[in-house]
């Protein structure tokens, strides 16, 4: 079937199997491999993208049902542009090890701040609990989210 997806500010027209997930359409048809496939079962958060600013597990959404402005990690800052404050904070706080979970963590963290759920370390831990990190970089992730919140709120 033919569908259109608006991703990182651009509209794309795709022909997809009706059963294909948004995750697979983003990775395999649009080449957006920053969207990671972890469990493929809605349990790890690696595939998190933003749809109209809200976090969505892209392995749990059919591409044909995806509706709204989709943002992946590739859409946060363009070539030669400064990093998004959340990306910058992850770098400064050394909040990743293998980096596999990092794109999903960063997108989820941006939404966590926008939702007003990043006011304390406990709240950050609670509202980021859907994003697993097999390297257990959690303390630094919390520090990065707290740091980026200050900068996002100052913008
Ligand atoms: S790949 Fe989607 S939640 Fe794990
Ligand atoms: S940094 Fe390796 S899974 Fe999180």
């Amino acid at each position: 079937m033919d569908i259109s997806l608006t991703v990182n500010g651009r509209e794309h027209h795709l022909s997809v199997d009706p059963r294909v997930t948004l995750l697979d359409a983003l990775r395999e048809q649009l080449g957006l491999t920053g969207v990671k496939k972890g469990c493929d079962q809605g349990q790890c958060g690696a595939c998190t993208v933003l749809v109209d600013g809200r976090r969505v597990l892209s392995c749990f959404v059919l591409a044909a049902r995806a509706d709204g402005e989709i943002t992946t990690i590739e859409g946060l800052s363009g070539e030669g542009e400064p990093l998004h404050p959340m990306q910058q904070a992850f770098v400064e706080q050394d909040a990743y090890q293998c980096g596999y979970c990092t794109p999903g963590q960063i997108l989820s963290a941006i939404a966590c701040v926008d939702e007003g759920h990043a006011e304390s370390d406990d709240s950050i831990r609670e509202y980021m609990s859907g994003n697993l990190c097999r390297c257990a970089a959690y303390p630094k992730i919390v520090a990065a989210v707290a740091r980026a919140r200050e900068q996002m709120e100052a913008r």
Side-chain angles (χ1 to χ4, degrees):
M1 62 188 295
D2 295 332
I3 63 169
S4 59
L5 295 176
T6 306
V7 187
N8 300 330
R10 262 187 68 198
E11 192 172 352
H12 299 268
H13 300 282
L14 309 178
S15 180
V16 298
D17 183 299
R19 297 164 297 182
V20 83
T21 62
L22 178 59
L23 169 61
D24 288 339
L26 291 171
R27 284 182 60 85
E28 291 169 20
Q29 298 210 35
L30 298 183
L32 296 169
T33 52
V35 190
K36 299 302 183 202
K37 184 184 283 203
C39 64
D40 211 16
Q41 295 182 4
Q43 292 177 356
C44 74
C47 65
T48 303
V49 298
L50 301 179
V51 179
D52 291 337
R54 299 176 65 177
R55 33 190 164 172
V56 165
L57 298 175
S58 60
C59 71
F60 252 20
V61 177
L62 292 174
R65 298 290 298 271
D67 193 19
E69 294 265 347
I70 299 163
T71 305
T72 72
I73 194 77
E74 289 90 347
L76 290 187
S77 62
E79 191 85 29
E81 290 175 7
L83 295 176
H84 185 284
M86 191 63 75
Q87 292 175 301
Q88 188 66 37
F90 268 66
V91 173
E92 287 172 2
Q93 301 293 326
D94 196 21
Y96 52 89
Q97 291 178 41
C98 78
Y100 198 81
C101 72
T102 309
Q105 299 278 3
I106 287 175
L107 290 164
S108 192
I110 290 169
C112 180
V113 170
D114 288 343
E115 292 159 10
H117 289 141
E119 300 303 314
S120 69
D121 286 1
D122 280 351
S123 181
I124 292 169
R125 275 191 284 272
E126 176 70 21
Y127 284 92
M128 291 294 293
S129 63
N131 288 80
L132 304 185
C133 176
R134 64 189 167 185
C135 302
Y138 297 115
K140 293 181 173 180
I141 292 170
V142 172
V145 178
R147 175 81 184 119
R149 175 180 62 83
E150 294 169 17
Q151 293 173 337
M152 287 169 68
E153 289 178 351
R155 288 212 289 188

